[in-house]
Amino acid sequence: MSLTIPDARRNASPYLYGREAASVARVLEAGQFGHTDLTAEFERRIAAYLGVPDVVAVSSGTAALHSALLATGIGLGDEVIVPSMTFCATVQAIRAVGAAPRFIDVDPATLCVTPQLVVDAVTDDTAAVLPVLFGGRAVDLSSLREDLAERGVVVIEDAAHAFGSHCGSEHVGADVTALTCFSFGPVKNLTCGQGGAVIPRTPEEAAAVRRLRMLGVTQSQSERAETTSYQVEGFGLRYQLSSINAAIGLAQFDHFDATVRSRRHLWRAYSDALDALEGVTLVDVDHTVPHLCQVRVLHRDHVFAHLRARNIGVGVHYPPNHLQPAFARWTRDLPATERVSREILSLPFHQHLTEADIHQVVTALGHALKATGGP
């Protein structure tokens, strides 16, 4: 069977290194598909890479956010500061615990929140701040640590885009003052097919997330097999990472250094090529492990339609949440978010791309700008 290698027609695509199928086959042959020692090995490998004491793997990035909010006691009557510029999963996790989103604006240059934007939004009802590390860029709220801690406000990072990125000299996830939530979904920097992880601050938080991810049961699968009973210590969900997904993640992780080099090379190739175009602002995610390559253009909807008609797989990440019907109750005036949401365009970005593909995309973008009234 011949496989079609994704190109510029695809906005995003998983990249396989060749051992993933065999790794999954070994799990299937073993006949143990749930949370097994393979999942624990994945957790240990991620913890060692990040330089943290513990990692709790879960079934998705959304499950990670939901579990982190539950583990820190966020619930009904609480307010969570969150940028509107994010995938709706971030906000749905807040709603899932009964809390209310307090939407804030972003810096148009980075599409991320700033310390000042967070400070300006804090109220007496604020229980958590949920910065989104958009495109892979770290969000440094260290200047607010003492003030937020005094107010009892927890920081939970949505780092779905940011596995492998750094905040200063440390990996994202190594900040002991915040819980960090990663996604290992299909097109993330590191994929498990589906998966996620919570980086807890304390052993108590780690234990809480482990209870939550397995329906409140405290014993592991191997421990339960050796006894006639088990204990359910509280509310829980089926959020564990299966050994099938862990096997994919481990096979991917063996090549993560190559992933980092490839994604940075592709982003810089785009950056160099886009320098020749007027009327395009590149969203800077240099010095990260880029998850997206985004530009801002005028007449975005027309440019989008022009490129899609020519089989260029552009996308939009993301329509702002404060304007979504599901979250209309919490709508606020967010001028920067509303402006950039009309301009952002995600160019095809995945490891199958060649420099020739990038040249094709940028050339087509230049034609689209001219055709739609740009420079």
Side-chain angles (χ1 to χ4, degrees), residues 59-72:
S59 56
S60 70
T62 309
L65 290 168
H66 189 200
S67 299
L69 289 161
L70 287 169
T72 51

Side-chain angles (χ1 to χ4, degrees), residues 209-222:
V209 176
R210 285 195 163 94
R211 286 194 301 271
L212 284 162
R213 75 173 176 188
M214 191 49 209
L215 300 165
V217 175
T218 56
Q219 290 86 5
S220 68
Q221 184 183 48
S222 59

Side-chain angles (χ1 to χ4, degrees), residues 269-278 282 362:
Y270 262 125
S271 179
D272 292 343
L274 288 165
D275 276 345
L277 293 187
E278 294 183 26
L282 179 64
V362 174

Side-chain angles (χ1 to χ4, degrees), residues 129-345:
V129 177
L130 212 165
V132 175
L133 283 57
F134 207 103
R137 174 183 286 276
V139 175
D140 186 359
L141 298 182
S142 58
S143 61
L144 306 182
R145 283 174 184 164
E146 290 186 11
D147 183 49
L148 293 176
E150 287 175 4
R151 291 171 172 263
V153 176
V154 64
V155 177
I156 300 173
E157 295 183 314
D158 182 342
H161 293 178
F163 185 77
S165 291
H166 281 76
C167 185
S169 61
E170 293 184 325
H171 274 113
V172 167
D175 182 356
V176 297
T177 67
L179 290 89
T180 301
C181 299
F182 290 115
S183 171
F184 303 124
V187 297
K188 296 301 192 294
N189 295 346
L190 177 69
T191 182
C192 290
Q194 279 290 357
V198 178
I199 316 302
R201 297 173 298 178
T202 65
E204 292 76 21
E205 286 178 347
V209 176
R210 285 195 163 94
R211 286 194 301 271
L212 284 162
R213 75 173 176 188
M214 191 49 209
L215 300 165
V217 175
T218 56
Q219 290 86 5
S220 68
Q221 184 183 48
S222 59
E223 289 171 333
R224 295 197 307 274
E226 298 299 325
T227 183
T228 59
S229 186
Y230 55 82
Q231 285 184 291
V232 183
E233 292 199 352
F235 175 75
L237 296 153
R238 188 173 286 279
Y239 274 173
Q240 74 271 29
L241 181 73
S242 81
S243 55
I244 295 173
N245 297 111
I248 296 171
L250 286 166
Q252 285 270 306
F253 189 68
D254 286 340
H255 300 274
F256 190 64
D257 287 346
T259 297
V260 172
R261 289 192 299 270
S262 176
R263 297 185 79 88
R264 286 176 173 166
H265 172 77
L266 290 169
W267 191 87
R268 288 168 186 158
Y270 262 125
S271 179
D272 292 343
L274 288 165
D275 276 345
L277 293 187
E278 294 183 26
V280 177
T281 301
L282 179 64
V283 179
D284 185 8
V285 289
D286 203 4
H287 307 298
T288 72
V289 181
H291 173 61
L292 299 169
C293 183
Q294 291 181 293
V295 294
R296 291 170 51 200
V297 296
L298 297 178
H299 315 296
R300 190 274 315 279
D301 289 2
H302 295 297
V303 172
F304 175 90
H306 187 280
L307 290 171
R308 294 292 297 190
R310 285 152 183 81
N311 291 319
I312 302 296
V314 287
V316 173
H317 299 88
Y318 299 97
N321 285 284
H322 73 291
L323 301 180
Q324 295 287 359
F327 311 127
R329 177 179 171 186
W330 301 282
T331 293
R332 302 178 66 219
D333 184 26
L334 302 177
T337 296
E338 291 173 25
R339 183 172 71 255
V340 298
S341 72
R342 295 189 294 268
E343 299 174 349
I344 52 172
L345 188 71

